Amino acid sequence: MSHDHHLRPRRPVRPSHRQRQAIYLVTALLLGSGLVWLLAHYALPLPEDAARHPAEPWAMRLHGAATLLGMAVFGGVWGNHVLGAWERGRHRLSGGTMVGLWLGLALSGYGLYYLADEGWRELADWAHIALGLVLPLGLAVHVLRVTAPRRMRKPA
């Protein structure tokens, strides 16, 4: 019986410094542009004779561009970080929650773009808002849980 699978090089699990920066930047861009849209859509007064606030389309353009970047970053993290940690059985709850949040946002965003039925579109809208507000918190919890053992080992 051969145990050659033990000789495979292990995938690095921790994202590189640049990947972490990209994750934080994309999360900030998506949250920021989403919040600007929410404020413009629900809270800011409309200019006279306007159907929507002028900030709405600009926030959506930025949000759409950040989404493309976010999906690229997610794909880059998937290969080493997500699959590597999953293979080792590490941080599956917080990591799986992050994957679920990203996928939920992708699906609800797709629904916002393509759903014609107003009932389903409203459901996708509120799901997207809720998931978008929870994702940064989930990311913070994931990072704190994963880095806690390293912080504990560092001498004071």
Side-chain angles (χ1 to χ4, degrees):
M1 184 160 121
S2 173
H3 294 287
D4 291 342
H5 65 280
H6 293 293
L7 301 176
R8 286 183 297 167
R10 296 185 89 179
R11 294 181 193 194
V13 172
R14 187 174 186 213
S16 71
H17 179 70
R18 284 189 179 169
Q19 281 181 319
R20 290 192 308 273
Q21 286 179 324
I23 292 165
Y24 303 145
L25 174 65
V26 163
T27 301
L29 283 172
L30 287 166
L31 179 63
S33 60
L35 289 174
V36 168
W37 183 87
L38 283 171
L39 285 171
H41 189 74
Y42 292 109
L44 296 178
L46 288 177
E48 198 171 306
D49 296 331
R52 63 181 172 189
H53 194 279
E56 282 187 58
W58 288 105
M60 277 296 97
R61 289 178 187 121
L62 178 58
H63 200 69
T67 298
L68 295 174
L69 182 60
M71 294 309 287
V73 169
F74 180 74
V77 170
W78 179 264
N80 287 331
H81 181 63
V82 175
L83 294 180
W86 197 265
E87 283 176 0
R88 294 178 190 174
R90 294 175 60 190
H91 308 289
R92 284 186 173 178
L93 179 60
S94 63
T97 299
M98 290 306 303
V99 169
L101 287 169
W102 272 104
L103 293 177
L105 282 163
L107 288 173
S108 59
Y110 183 85
L112 286 170
Y113 202 77
Y114 289 107
L115 287 173
D117 180 78
E118 282 303 312
W120 284 106
R121 197 169 190 301
E122 187 174 346
L123 179 65
D125 184 34
W126 288 108
H128 196 74
I129 291 168
L131 293 169
L133 293 172
V134 169
L135 185 124
L137 178 62
L139 179 60
V141 168
H142 180 62
V143 168
L144 290 172
R145 287 183 58 97
V146 169
T147 60
R150 278 195 298 273
R151 288 193 316 271
M152 299 295 271
R153 286 193 301 260
K154 285 186 179 181

